[in-house]
Amino acid sequence: MKKHIVMMPGDGIGPEVTASAQQVLEAVAEEFSHRFTFEEQPIGGTAVDNHGSPLPASTTEACKAADAVFLGAVGGPKWDQNPAHLRPERGLLDIRKNLELFANLRPVKGFSSLLHASPLKEEVVQNSDFMIIRELTGGLYFGEPKERRNNGNSVVDTLAYDRHEIERIVRRGFEAARLRRGHLTSVDKANVLESSRLWREIVEEMKSEYPDVTVEHELVDAAAMKLITNPSHFDVIVTENMFGDILSDEASVITGSLGMLPSASLNEEAFGLYEPVHGSAPDIAGQGKANPIASILSTALMLRHSFGMDQEAQRIESAVSQAVEQGYHTADVNIPDGQVVNTKELTERIIDLMKADSTTTNIMNCYV
Ligand code: NAD
């Protein structure tokens, strides 16, 4: 299969982890006889420095013409005092908007050799394997008007959704649950908010289309508690923009490994932007210390969700799990009796394991 991928390295450790992601995609292309072409485009603080904008128009155009897009990370102290329109994060918000990426997927899965690093007890966090699907382009963060009244002493923010916006994100939830363990938790605040009552009604209407998926409704406050007391309860969580923002950050710390969490943001077709959950980590930029796993797992999401290449995605995920369980890790995580390696070495180890996996499969096939 032929695919064209735009790579946006961004700032800080972005270029280092983007290089790892591209290396892994190149190895997948070689192993599975695909043809992936890559095009680098500027975003974030480096784009402000070199092009006068955190998201040059040419970057958006290139992304629209691609089959999928990868983003490293943006931001850093150098640009912290810039005016709002020249902040690196503006580039990220604008590219999501320009590409109409309304569904944010964040899988969270613990590695058994890293459970000790979780702030939760090992027995609580073990077997956690869930995905949060957050609505990304509507709700409270996009309400109108945003205004101050009464001489600046009263404020109004609105939480607006229409049926179409809720239906398309809830459908993503059902589809994802169907590909996983078949359990969907819809999170809302239906005891207080009218928008949540419409959300709940729509979930109820749609569930007859997915008889293979079990559905539950959970209030956001109860869901926040259950995420840290019983995370293995969840399979797929689907929720509104602000609830999803808060819950996904809560979820990102329970496995104790920020450098290992991938994400995908999808539009109504299969097109998506794939990026690690972590930021640009300016404190370790350029030192070869960046953990490439979040980025590498983001490429697996790209293969699965944009290209329909599930087998290829599984090969990457399995190689990452093997590398971690064998004790290879960057300095940001601690595996007792493990071996600290740099970004490049960990990437190469994962690629070697991917290739070895294919050898094993081929040898086994000889005996079938
Ligand atoms: P951060 O995620 O960049 O870093 C938090 C801590 O985790 C740091 O100690 C960092 O060294 C470590 N860390 C993060 N990713 C790592 C990795 N892959 N390997 C090893 N260690 C890793 O968050 P922050 O410090 O709050 O923000 C730094 C900059 O990143 C800010 O400018 C912020 O605005 C930006 N940011 C960007 C994104 C994005 O591009 N999507 C997301 C969050 C923050």
Side-chain angles (χ1 to χ4, degrees), residues 211-224:
D212 48 336
V213 176
T214 54
V215 181
E216 66 177 349
H217 300 277
E218 190 89 72
L219 295 174
V220 63
D221 39 352

Side-chain angles (χ1 to χ4, degrees), residues 13 17 71-77 80 87 89 92 96 258-259 275-284 289-292 294 330 332:
I13 60 169
V17 295
L71 172 82
V74 297
D80 276 354
R87 297 279 304 242
E89 304 78 30
L92 192 54
R96 287 175 179 159
L258 180 63
E275 58 180 320
V277 164
H278 61 73
S280 61
D283 51 333
I284 56 161
K289 289 182 181 168
N291 189 336
T330 42
D332 54 307

Side-chain angles (χ1 to χ4, degrees), residues 11 28 44 52 68 101 103 121-122 160 168 171-172 184 193 198 201 212 214 217 219 296 309:
D11 311 316
V28 166
L101 306 171
K121 290 188 185 120
E122 281 191 45
R168 64 184 183 176
R171 192 167 295 287
R172 284 274 180 201
L184 180 67
L193 300 175
L198 177 61
E201 274 170 41
D212 48 336
T214 54
H217 300 277
L219 295 174
I296 292 172
M309 297 177 183

Side-chain angles (χ1 to χ4, degrees), residues 49 86 112 189 196 327:
D49 290 350
L86 291 178
S112 49
K189 189 71 183 168
S196 285

Side-chain angles (χ1 to χ4, degrees), residues 126-328:
Q126 71 187 355
N127 303 324
S128 297
D129 178 4
F130 60 89
M131 177 184 278
I132 297 185
I133 301 187
R134 164 189 169 195
E135 204 288 325
L136 209 54
T137 54
L140 200 55
Y141 294 170
F142 291 88
E144 298 290 341
K146 283 183 196 299
E147 62 180 31
R148 293 212 174 183
R149 296 175 183 173
N150 189 19
N151 292 329
N153 294 312
S154 306
V155 289
V156 181
D157 282 307
T158 51
L159 200 174
Y161 272 116
D162 67 28
R163 170 171 279 277
H164 164 71
E165 290 174 299
I166 301 175
E167 278 175 355
R168 64 184 183 176
I169 189 76
V170 167
R171 192 167 295 287
R172 284 274 180 201
F174 276 109
E175 299 286 345
R178 178 172 264 180
L179 287 174
R180 293 171 50 97
R181 297 192 303 279
H183 184 61
L184 180 67
T185 306
S186 172
V187 171
D188 61 34
K189 189 71 183 168
N191 54 343
V192 179
L193 300 175
E194 197 54 37
S195 55
S196 285
R197 284 193 273 273
L198 177 61
W199 182 290
R200 209 174 260 223
E201 274 170 41
I202 290 172
V203 173
E204 282 300 300
E205 285 165 25
M206 284 172 72
K207 74 179 185 189
S208 61
E209 292 178 50
Y210 298 88
D212 48 336
V213 176
T214 54
V215 181
E216 66 177 349
H217 300 277
E218 190 89 72
L219 295 174
V220 63
D221 39 352
M225 280 197 289
K226 207 181 259 184
L227 263 182
I228 52 164
T229 52
N230 188 14
S232 59
H233 167 82
F234 296 105
D235 180 14
V236 176
I237 294 170
V238 66
T239 191
E240 182 266 341
N241 198 344
M242 185 181 72
F243 298 158
D245 189 10
I246 297 168
L247 292 182
S248 54
D249 268 23
E250 182 188 2
S252 73
V253 298
I254 68 172
T255 58
S257 46
L258 180 63
M260 304 174 87
L261 293 171
S263 80
S265 301
L266 307 174
N267 75 4
E268 293 209 43
E269 283 83 49
F271 181 84
L273 181 148
Y274 298 85
E275 58 180 320
V277 164
H278 61 73
S280 61
D283 51 333
I284 56 161
Q287 300 171 33
K289 289 182 181 168
N291 189 336
I293 287 182
S295 291
I296 292 172
L297 289 175
S298 299
T299 68
L301 293 179
M302 177 190 289
L303 296 172
R304 178 174 294 121
H305 292 281
S306 282
F307 303 164
M309 297 177 183
D310 200 51
Q311 201 191 344
E312 289 85 335
Q314 275 179 31
R315 181 79 73 80
I316 295 174
E317 288 160 349
S318 154
V320 167
S321 293
Q322 285 176 58
V324 175
E325 298 312 338
Q326 287 173 5
Y328 293 95

